[in-house]
PDB file of all heavy atoms in Angstrom:
ATOM      1  N   GLU A  40     -22.165  -6.008  87.194  1.00 98.00           N
ATOM      2  CA  GLU A  40     -22.235  -6.592  85.849  1.00 98.00           C
ATOM      3  C   GLU A  40     -22.028  -5.516  84.761  1.00 98.00           C
ATOM      4  O   GLU A  40     -21.238  -5.689  83.799  1.00 98.00           O
ATOM      5  CB  GLU A  40     -23.543  -7.298  85.676  1.00 98.00           C
ATOM      6  CG  GLU A  40     -23.573  -8.218  84.512  1.00 98.00           C
ATOM      7  CD  GLU A  40     -24.890  -8.926  84.383  1.00 98.00           C
ATOM      8  OE1 GLU A  40     -25.896  -8.580  85.062  1.00 98.00           O
ATOM      9  OE2 GLU A  40     -24.925  -9.852  83.494  1.00 98.00           O
ATOM     10  N   LEU A  41     -22.660  -4.318  85.038  1.00 98.00           N
ATOM     11  CA  LEU A  41     -22.525  -3.210  84.090  1.00 98.00           C
ATOM     12  C   LEU A  41     -21.056  -2.762  83.930  1.00 98.00           C
ATOM     13  O   LEU A  41     -20.515  -2.595  82.810  1.00 98.00           O
ATOM     14  CB  LEU A  41     -23.366  -2.063  84.601  1.00 98.00           C
ATOM     15  CG  LEU A  41     -23.326  -0.725  83.851  1.00 98.00           C
ATOM     16  CD1 LEU A  41     -23.774  -0.954  82.363  1.00 98.00           C
ATOM     17  CD2 LEU A  41     -24.297   0.366  84.422  1.00 98.00           C
ATOM     18  N   GLU A  42     -20.381  -2.618  85.131  1.00 98.00           N
ATOM     19  CA  GLU A  42     -19.076  -2.175  85.113  1.00 98.00           C
ATOM     20  C   GLU A  42     -18.171  -3.161  84.290  1.00 98.00           C
ATOM     21  O   GLU A  42     -17.257  -2.777  83.616  1.00 98.00           O
ATOM     22  CB  GLU A  42     -18.482  -2.068  86.539  1.00 98.00           C
ATOM     23  CG  GLU A  42     -18.596  -0.709  87.099  1.00 98.00           C
ATOM     24  CD  GLU A  42     -18.305  -0.762  88.624  1.00 98.00           C
ATOM     25  OE1 GLU A  42     -17.354  -1.374  89.108  1.00 98.00           O
ATOM     26  OE2 GLU A  42     -19.036  -0.151  89.324  1.00 98.00           O
ATOM     27  N   SER A  43     -18.370  -4.499  84.520  1.00 98.00           N
ATOM     28  CA  SER A  43     -17.534  -5.446  83.883  1.00 98.00           C
ATOM     29  C   SER A  43     -17.755  -5.436  82.307  1.00 98.00           C
ATOM     30  O   SER A  43     -16.671  -5.531  81.655  1.00 98.00           O
ATOM     31  CB  SER A  43     -17.735  -6.845  84.474  1.00 98.00           C
ATOM     32  OG  SER A  43     -18.279  -7.730  83.674  1.00 98.00           O
ATOM     33  N   TYR A  44     -18.952  -5.244  81.913  1.00 98.00           N
ATOM     34  CA  TYR A  44     -19.136  -5.153  80.450  1.00 98.00           C
ATOM     35  C   TYR A  44     -18.501  -3.818  79.897  1.00 98.00           C
ATOM     36  O   TYR A  44     -17.969  -3.785  78.800  1.00 98.00           O
ATOM     37  CB  TYR A  44     -20.617  -5.183  80.021  1.00 98.00           C
ATOM     38  CG  TYR A  44     -21.152  -6.551  80.034  1.00 98.00           C
ATOM     39  CD1 TYR A  44     -21.991  -7.026  80.995  1.00 98.00           C
ATOM     40  CD2 TYR A  44     -20.714  -7.452  78.957  1.00 98.00           C
ATOM     41  CE1 TYR A  44     -22.532  -8.334  80.915  1.00 98.00           C
ATOM     42  CE2 TYR A  44     -21.253  -8.741  78.834  1.00 98.00           C
ATOM     43  CZ  TYR A  44     -22.171  -9.199  79.916  1.00 98.00           C
ATOM     44  OH  TYR A  44     -22.592 -10.410  79.832  1.00 98.00           O
ATOM     45  N   LEU A  45     -18.658  -2.737  80.574  1.00 98.00           N
ATOM     46  CA  LEU A  45     -18.053  -1.440  80.202  1.00 98.00           C
ATOM     47  C   LEU A  45     -16.556  -1.601  80.114  1.00 98.00           C
ATOM     48  O   LEU A  45     -15.912  -1.019  79.093  1.00 98.00           O
ATOM     49  CB  LEU A  45     -18.474  -0.298  81.076  1.00 98.00           C
ATOM     50  CG  LEU A  45     -19.875   0.148  81.111  1.00 98.00           C
ATOM     51  CD1 LEU A  45     -20.154   1.210  82.201  1.00 98.00           C
ATOM     52  CD2 LEU A  45     -20.336   0.654  79.772  1.00 98.00           C
ATOM     53  N   LYS A  46     -15.955  -2.311  80.973  1.00 98.00           N
ATOM     54  CA  LYS A  46     -14.493  -2.485  80.972  1.00 98.00           C
ATOM     55  C   LYS A  46     -14.043  -3.422  79.841  1.00 98.00           C
ATOM     56  O   LYS A  46     -13.288  -3.134  78.990  1.00 98.00           O
ATOM     57  CB  LYS A  46     -14.096  -2.918  82.297  1.00 98.00           C
ATOM     58  CG  LYS A  46     -12.557  -3.270  82.518  1.00 98.00           C
ATOM     59  CD  LYS A  46     -12.324  -3.422  84.007  1.00 98.00           C
ATOM     60  CE  LYS A  46     -10.845  -3.988  84.220  1.00 98.00           C
ATOM     61  NZ  LYS A  46     -10.819  -5.338  83.950  1.00 98.00           N
ATOM     62  N   ASP A  47     -14.618  -4.738  79.879  1.00 98.00           N
ATOM     63  CA  ASP A  47     -14.084  -5.692  79.065  1.00 98.00           C
ATOM     64  C   ASP A  47     -14.657  -5.773  77.622  1.00 98.00           C
ATOM     65  O   ASP A  47     -14.091  -6.316  76.728  1.00 98.00           O
ATOM     66  CB  ASP A  47     -14.306  -7.128  79.680  1.00 98.00           C
ATOM     67  CG  ASP A  47     -13.474  -7.185  80.973  1.00 98.00           C
ATOM     68  OD1 ASP A  47     -12.508  -6.508  81.142  1.00 98.00           O
ATOM     69  OD2 ASP A  47     -13.919  -7.977  81.874  1.00 98.00           O
ATOM     70  N   TYR A  48     -15.903  -5.202  77.430  1.00 98.00           N
ATOM     71  CA  TYR A  48     -16.570  -5.235  76.185  1.00 98.00           C
ATOM     72  C   TYR A  48     -16.410  -3.947  75.488  1.00 98.00           C
ATOM     73  O   TYR A  48     -16.033  -3.894  74.236  1.00 98.00           O
ATOM     74  CB  TYR A  48     -17.989  -5.704  76.232  1.00 98.00           C
ATOM     75  CG  TYR A  48     -18.668  -6.049  74.933  1.00 98.00           C
ATOM     76  CD1 TYR A  48     -18.349  -7.192  74.348  1.00 98.00           C
ATOM     77  CD2 TYR A  48     -19.557  -5.161  74.423  1.00 98.00           C
ATOM     78  CE1 TYR A  48     -18.887  -7.498  73.088  1.00 98.00           C
ATOM     79  CE2 TYR A  48     -20.207  -5.519  73.210  1.00 98.00           C
ATOM     80  CZ  TYR A  48     -19.882  -6.619  72.515  1.00 98.00           C
ATOM     81  OH  TYR A  48     -20.468  -6.931  71.332  1.00 98.00           O
ATOM     82  N   VAL A  49     -16.720  -2.836  76.139  1.00 98.00           N
ATOM     83  CA  VAL A  49     -16.713  -1.515  75.473  1.00 98.00           C
ATOM     84  C   VAL A  49     -15.137  -0.961  75.387  1.00 98.00           C
ATOM     85  O   VAL A  49     -14.802  -0.249  74.525  1.00 98.00           O
ATOM     86  CB  VAL A  49     -17.505  -0.529  76.327  1.00 98.00           C
ATOM     87  CG1 VAL A  49     -17.462   0.887  75.702  1.00 98.00           C
ATOM     88  CG2 VAL A  49     -19.025  -1.027  76.290  1.00 98.00           C
ATOM     89  N   GLY A  50     -14.333  -1.449  76.446  1.00 98.00           N
ATOM     90  CA  GLY A  50     -13.028  -0.930  76.494  1.00 98.00           C
ATOM     91  C   GLY A  50     -12.769   0.287  77.338  1.00 98.00           C
ATOM     92  O   GLY A  50     -11.860   1.044  77.137  1.00 98.00           O
TER      93      GLY A  50
END
Side-chain angles (χ1 to χ4, degrees):
E40 194 178 10
L41 176 60
E42 265 168 44
S43 114
Y44 279 109
L45 288 175
K46 178 169 170 281
D47 296 335
Y48 192 72
V49 178

